[in-house]
Amino acid sequence: MKSIQIIAVLLCNLFLGTTAFAQTKGVKKETIKVWGNCGMCKTKIEKAAKTAGAVKADWNEETGELKVQYKEAVTSSQKIQAAIGKVGYDTQDVTADGEAYKKLHSCCQYERKAVQQ
């Protein structure tokens, strides 16, 4: 009876380990520079990234770095950056829509990146 229990535990651990591995396969981690200023910016930037398919998104107000994780089969860095640009924020590769930028709250209106001026 104990040998059946041991086998069951081993099979369960093997299955759980395989499932955890399968969930991380194809997930890319990336850091993207995003211009912004405050906590409201953080909320909008992270929401836009997740709307574009990011599994995780964490924007650091001090460094301006957005750490994202996404499944390459679902989305891409370019799609995530385009979504962030649509809500008014410049990224390292995308210049935000000018009208969306103008609609940002005054505390969120950051100094635009050099190519924009």
Side-chain angles (χ1 to χ4, degrees), residues 103-117:
K103 290 179 183 177
L104 293 176
H105 189 273
S106 60
C107 73
C108 295
Q109 291 186 352
Y110 53 91
E111 188 174 326
R112 305 293 303 267
K113 61 184 187 178
V115 294
Q116 189 62 22
Q117 297 176 5

Side-chain angles (χ1 to χ4, degrees), residues 36-46 59 61 89 107-108:
N37 291 328
C38 64
M40 273 197 299
C41 296
K42 178 178 175 66
T43 301
K44 289 179 183 179
I45 291 165
E46 291 173 357
W59 183 72
E61 186 178 329
Y89 296 93
C107 73
C108 295

Side-chain angles (χ1 to χ4, degrees), residues 17-66:
T18 304
T19 302
F21 176 75
Q23 290 176 349
T24 60
K25 188 176 181 182
V27 174
K28 186 169 183 175
K29 295 180 182 180
E30 192 168 334
T31 300
I32 301 167
K33 173 71 175 165
V34 181
W35 280 255
N37 291 328
C38 64
M40 273 197 299
C41 296
K42 178 178 175 66
T43 301
K44 289 179 183 179
I45 291 165
E46 291 173 357
K47 183 178 178 181
K50 289 178 182 175
T51 300
V55 177
K56 291 185 180 180
D58 182 35
W59 183 72
N60 184 303
E61 186 178 329
E62 291 179 24
T63 64
E65 292 181 339
L66 174 67

